[in-house]
Amino acid sequence: MKDKEEIIKNINKLKEEKNAIILAHNYQPKEIQKIADFLGDSLELCIKAKETDADIIVFCGVDFMAETAKILNPDKKVLMPEIEGTQCPMAHQLPPDIIKEYREKYPDTPLVVYVNTTAETKALADITCTSANADKVVNSLDAETVLFGPDNNLAYYVQKRTNKKIIPIPIGGGCYVHKKFTLEDLKRVKEKYPNAIVLIHPECNPELQDNADYIASTSGMLKIVLNSDEKEFIIGTEVGMIDRIELELEKIGEKKVLIPLREDAICNEMKKITLQKIEKSLLEEIYEIKLDKDIIKRAKVAIERMLNIKG
Ligand code: 13P
Ligand code: SF4
């Protein structure tokens, strides 16, 4: 068994030899966060994937994120160090047959899909959005009514920030990790930390959003903590976000109290990647993301429309 230091050394050597870059989502295990070339939320990862001049992108996250990197870089090799069990369940809640049903029912209504969707679904959408820009995307559309899916909680967040009518599809769509949080959780944690600032991800249930100090994407949360004079924060999202914020605080030698809204808010699909798997992935160039050319072409239009929204 090689030790950790040796594996990291080899990863760095392989990265250089192959002109590869490691992109990782904010929920990745801390040891992966520490070696990533770039860490971010879904929007930042899209932008980075579009800008990189690396030949190989090793994507540490879940399936839809690696697919998005491939769609934006069809000529590059995009690898996921693990493909077993790295499928975001929400990303599979709005398949083409359900879209067809709603398209028939609302023929002239634009469809906005969360980036947490498959490439096939993105190819059928008018535009994509992330948790960082969903309201901006919807408000940019020239329509009174908008189909929005698959996250019903993100749809609620957008509805509060637009005069357009949002139709959430499919009924019940959402993230199993974020749906766990309840008002009771918030009350319990608030009793212990009455002065803590409450940060809630827009994938959380409406009652949590309604009681938040801030609702933000994962990187939005990071910015709030770093820019605030406050010392205590309740983190209403996946627990990996605490590692991510701590990592940035360590870099600037600051200490703040970060309290998870629930210790068991764990995205299993995000935790399947290890340092060993990254090393193997770089060495053997596995597991390569392969998508149909026509799907790439159409999905790219929906993603680029989002990236081109100004302001
Ligand atoms: P962010 O884009 O805010 O990082 O969210 C991605 C995600 O999957 C949250 O569950
Ligand atoms: Fe998907 Fe939820 Fe995991 Fe985010 S936290 S990747 S939405 S399952």
Side-chain angles (χ1 to χ4, degrees):
M1 259 294 260
K2 278 195 249 177
D3 68 23
K4 221 191 218 175
E5 289 314 308
E6 226 178 308
I7 295 172
I8 294 173
K9 240 170 125 179
N10 204 28
I11 289 175
N12 288 332
K13 188 172 136 273
L14 288 163
K15 250 174 40 185
E16 209 170 305
E17 278 170 17
K18 301 191 178 204
N19 188 27
I21 187 174
I22 300 178
L23 304 187
H25 185 262
N26 290 328
Y27 296 158
Q28 282 293 293
K30 198 166 190 172
E31 61 178 19
I32 289 166
Q33 295 194 15
K34 281 185 175 167
I35 62 130
D37 294 296
F38 183 81
L39 281 163
D41 66 6
S42 308
L43 181 61
E44 292 168 332
L45 288 165
C46 282
I47 296 168
K48 192 72 189 175
K50 194 167 179 251
E51 288 172 349
T52 183
D53 54 12
D55 295 315
I56 296 179
I57 299 172
V58 179
F59 208 107
C60 302
V62 287
D63 58 349
F64 74 84
M65 297 178 173
E67 284 186 0
T68 303
K70 180 69 187 173
I71 293 163
L72 291 169
N73 293 281
D75 300 327
K76 289 190 176 154
K77 198 171 253 187
V78 177
L79 305 174
M80 271 192 94
E82 179 58 273
I83 43 156
E84 291 273 321
T86 47
Q87 286 75 27
C88 162
M90 174 160 56
H92 297 263
Q93 291 172 351
L94 190 57
D97 56 324
I98 297 186
I99 294 181
K100 195 167 168 268
E101 267 174 44
Y102 282 102
R103 286 286 203 195
E104 277 164 15
K105 206 164 154 200
Y106 302 95
D108 301 316
T109 309
L111 169 65
V112 178
V113 300
Y114 196 19
V115 73
N116 298 40
T117 43
T118 62
E120 287 79 5
T121 291
K122 289 186 181 78
L124 295 171
D126 293 286
I127 189 165
T128 64
C129 74
T130 76
S131 64
N133 62 16
D135 47 344
K136 206 162 77 177
V137 165
V138 167
N139 284 322
S140 77
L141 299 172
D142 184 17
E144 293 298 307
T145 308
V146 172
L147 291 166
F148 188 99
D151 190 352
N152 292 186
N153 289 341
L154 186 62
Y156 174 84
Y157 171 85
V158 174
Q159 186 62 85
K160 290 249 160 176
R161 289 159 181 81
T162 185
N163 294 325
K164 301 181 194 302
K165 182 180 184 309
I166 305 295
I167 303 172
I169 63 166
I171 296 160
C175 162
Y176 77 98
V177 181
H178 289 85
K179 279 191 187 182
K180 267 188 189 170
F181 299 120
T182 63
L183 266 190
E184 283 65 46
D185 294 327
L186 188 55
K187 271 188 210 139
R188 179 178 34 81
V189 182
K190 261 286 194 186
E191 259 164 39
K192 216 167 154 200
Y193 299 93
N195 300 319
I197 305 297
V198 180
L199 306 185
I200 294 292
H201 195 277
E203 287 178 17
C204 295
N205 295 325
E207 61 274 23
L208 272 306
Q209 296 189 30
D210 294 346
N211 284 283
D213 291 308
Y214 297 96
I215 307 171
S217 76
T218 57
S219 289
M221 289 183 180
L222 172 65
K223 285 180 198 123
I224 292 165
V225 175
L226 294 181
N227 294 327
S228 169
D229 293 331
E230 299 289 337
K231 293 288 172 225
E232 294 178 348
F233 299 86
I234 295 166
I235 308 296
T237 191
E238 210 271 348
V239 291
M241 197 53 214
I242 298 208
D243 292 332
R244 171 72 169 112
I245 301 173
E246 272 173 2
L247 208 64
E248 294 308 314
L249 288 169
E250 276 164 28
K251 284 186 198 161
I252 54 171
E254 263 195 58
K255 268 203 180 323
K256 295 199 177 184
V257 182
L258 306 171
I259 310 117
L261 185 48
R262 283 180 74 117
E263 303 265 3
D264 65 349
I266 298 169
C267 174
N268 298 320
E269 292 71 21
M270 279 278 180
K271 309 298 186 200
K272 297 278 191 283
I273 297 173
T274 61
L275 289 175
Q276 284 88 344
K277 289 179 187 175
I278 295 176
E279 184 189 30
K280 193 168 190 279
S281 172
L282 274 162
L283 191 69
E284 298 176 18
E285 301 190 8
I286 54 170
Y287 296 94
E288 190 177 350
I289 304 295
K290 291 203 167 131
L291 296 170
D292 177 87
K293 274 201 174 75
D294 185 52
I295 298 275
I296 288 186
K297 212 169 126 193
R298 287 188 289 137
K300 199 165 186 247
V301 174
I303 299 169
E304 285 189 333
R305 268 191 199 136
M306 166 184 82
L307 294 175
N308 287 335
I309 293 174
K310 304 275 173 268

